[in-house]
Amino acid sequence: MNPGTTACLICPACGQAFLSMQQSMEGMVQCPHCAHNALRSYFGTQAQVAGVAQVRRRVSQQQPLPSMPAAPQQEIRALFQPAAWPPQPPIQAPANFTARQTLQPSQALMPTGAPPPPSEEFKTPPHLRRSPWRGAFILLAFSVVCGGALWLWRDSVNVPVVKPSVDVTPPPVKTVVRIDPVVPQTQIARAVIPAPDVGAVTADAKQLITEFFAADSAERRAACIHDAAKYSAEIEAQFGAVGDKKTELRLLSRIPGMPQTLPGRQPVPLFKLVTSVCANGALIRLETGADGKRRISWPLLHETHAEALATFLKQPAGEAAWFHVGLRPSHGLDIAAELRPRYITFDVQVSAGSEPHFVACVERDTPLGRFMNRESEWGKSYLARLLVRRLDIQSDAPCLLVIDCEGAPER
């Protein structure tokens, strides 16, 4: 054992000795036998208890059992001594013997007759004690930091607007003249005119057609036609017959869907008119006059009822004429495969039924071809007035070459 680094201490609680490496008298020492914890100065050494007489080991206090009275010490010794041994005289305690049970824990290490040390509570060493102002200082520092951050945020939000004291001459303002693009009249009409009331248009068409076929005079028939003064001769020639030759009404119904005008894309309700002369059914649309009343559009009724386009295709190919037709973009499967890259094709409808079937071809690399390709969309039907002539090419259906479209921009 190295006497320079260890010391033999005696616990004031249990009275047992143990080795400790604690050299400072203010350091904390714990007894390995009873776990008593105190300062180094409260533990005694062997030199301090040299004058203590017969210090016995302290054991845990146990109360004697009430059923077993304490036996005299001589009787207990007699039980464990052989019979051959001579009786021993009783052991007498020395004059200066002090009972272990009468000593306090702090008196176990003190010499007999010495005054007991004053009782002291455990005090934390100065270097381990916390300052009572530490929590207040931390709270104050936190409040200062938060206040500074709040002040900086308030300054950044409420930045005052600093006006320059020096007059700065603004740069000259350039006058920009805005030139609006020229909008075609058809697009203006499309933006202004609302979609028609299909129910009201259907009611007007039924009333007008009934009155038109029931009329017994040219004046009553003219009252049902839009701009009838221009077409009075054609109206009477086609529907003015009386008696057995009079055209009779068979059916009037609205065609599902609503085609659009080309150009303009205005929705137009169409109706199917079946008469005793036209079994396929003619096409009818209504136009609004200057007085705000709807009337029958005569050119479409006249051409589709008399099958004017089918009659025109029987003439020589050199002639051209204007016709009101229904159009629908197609893949051009009716013409030869080598000709499809050259033309933009449309299915032509000139009656309320599927027959007769015609194909309209527009040369792709022309202003008219680009216009019709731009204005039409796949899957929609259109109503237009076209200038056409017969086109003699290899095809499965009669073909028309479109030369012009009414309303298209000038080329």
Side-chain angles (χ1 to χ4, degrees):
M1 179 179 63
N2 189 358
T5 58
T6 60
C8 183
L9 304 180
I10 298 178
C11 177
C14 63
Q16 297 193 47
F18 62 93
L19 298 178
S20 176
M21 300 180 64
Q22 181 59 256
Q23 299 296 324
S24 174
M25 299 302 292
E26 298 295 334
M28 301 297 297
V29 178
Q30 184 177 15
C31 176
H33 303 287
C34 64
H36 178 69
N37 193 13
L39 295 177
R40 166 72 168 75
S41 58
Y42 286 93
F43 287 82
T45 60
Q46 291 182 346
Q48 294 177 348
V49 297
V52 180
Q54 295 187 2
V55 178
R56 294 185 177 181
R57 180 179 178 181
R58 182 182 182 184
V59 296
S60 58
Q61 300 293 333
Q62 297 181 355
Q63 298 294 336
L65 297 176
S67 60
M68 295 179 60
Q73 186 176 6
Q74 291 81 2
E75 297 178 3
I76 296 174
R77 294 179 61 89
L79 293 176
F80 295 95
Q81 287 183 358
W85 291 358
Q88 297 292 334
I91 301 175
Q92 296 181 359
N96 58 351
F97 174 75
T98 303
R100 181 65 178 175
Q101 288 78 3
T102 61
L103 296 178
Q104 298 295 330
S106 59
Q107 297 174 347
L109 304 180
M110 300 298 296
T112 305
S119 60
E120 295 184 6
E121 297 181 357
F122 173 75
K123 296 182 180 180
T124 307
H127 65 280
L128 297 179
R129 297 175 185 173
R130 291 186 177 182
S131 174
W133 299 99
R134 181 178 180 182
F137 177 76
I138 294 176
L139 181 60
L140 178 62
F142 179 74
S143 302
V144 171
V145 172
C146 292
L150 182 62
W151 183 270
L152 293 177
W153 174 80
R154 183 166 174 253
D155 288 348
S156 62
V157 173
N158 303 323
V159 178
V161 179
V162 180
K163 296 183 179 180
S165 58
V166 181
D167 295 337
V168 179
T169 304
V173 179
K174 296 182 180 180
T175 304
V176 179
V177 179
R178 179 179 178 182
I179 302 177
D180 296 333
V182 179
V183 181
Q185 190 68 22
T186 55
Q187 297 185 8
I188 297 176
R190 181 178 58 187
V192 174
I193 300 176
D197 186 355
V198 178
V201 174
T202 303
D204 292 345
K206 181 179 180 180
Q207 179 182 359
L208 291 170
I209 291 298
T210 304
E211 174 65 19
F212 182 79
F213 282 92
D216 54 358
S217 64
E219 290 76 11
R220 291 181 61 183
R221 283 187 288 269
C224 301
I225 303 299
H226 176 72
D227 202 4
K230 295 173 57 176
Y231 313 107
S232 58
E234 295 180 356
I235 295 172
E236 293 304 316
Q238 191 168 1
F239 295 97
V242 294
D244 297 338
K245 296 182 179 180
K246 183 180 180 180
T247 305
E248 297 180 359
L249 176 62
R250 295 284 189 265
L251 176 67
L252 176 66
S253 62
R254 193 176 75 87
I255 299 177
M258 192 177 299
Q260 301 175 359
T261 59
L262 186 67
R265 299 187 182 182
Q266 294 300 313
V268 179
L270 284 182
F271 300 90
K272 175 182 180 180
L273 175 66
V274 179
T275 64
S276 57
V277 178
C278 181
N280 290 329
L283 299 178
I284 292 181
R285 61 170 294 192
L286 303 185
E287 292 187 8
T288 304
D291 56 355
K293 295 182 179 181
R294 300 185 184 94
R295 294 180 176 86
I296 302 171
S297 175
W298 173 254
L300 181 62
L301 172 60
H302 167 63
E303 295 175 7
T304 57
H305 187 270
E307 299 181 355
L309 183 59
T311 304
F312 170 76
L313 291 178
K314 298 177 182 180
Q315 299 177 3
E319 299 181 2
W322 289 91
F323 292 96
H324 290 83
V325 296
L327 299 174
R328 185 184 296 272
S330 66
H331 292 290
L333 301 179
D334 295 313
I335 64 176
E338 58 272 12
L339 298 178
R340 294 171 193 169
R342 180 180 176 182
Y343 297 105
I344 299 174
T345 57
F346 297 87
D347 290 334
V348 178
Q349 183 178 3
V350 291
S351 68
S354 59
E355 296 295 336
H357 174 64
F358 304 108
V359 179
C361 300
V362 187
E363 293 185 359
R364 190 181 298 273
D365 296 332
T366 59
L368 180 62
R370 290 188 288 269
F371 164 76
M372 298 191 68
N373 187 34
R374 182 178 65 252
E375 290 293 322
S376 61
E377 295 182 15
W378 189 261
K380 294 184 178 181
S381 58
Y382 300 90
L383 191 64
R385 185 169 183 256
L386 304 178
L387 177 63
V388 298
R389 65 177 178 85
R390 192 178 68 185
L391 180 62
D392 294 330
I393 59 174
Q394 183 182 356
S395 62
D396 297 333
C399 295
L400 305 172
L401 178 63
V402 181
I403 302 173
D404 198 1
C405 176
E406 187 179 48
E410 297 182 359
R411 292 173 290 173

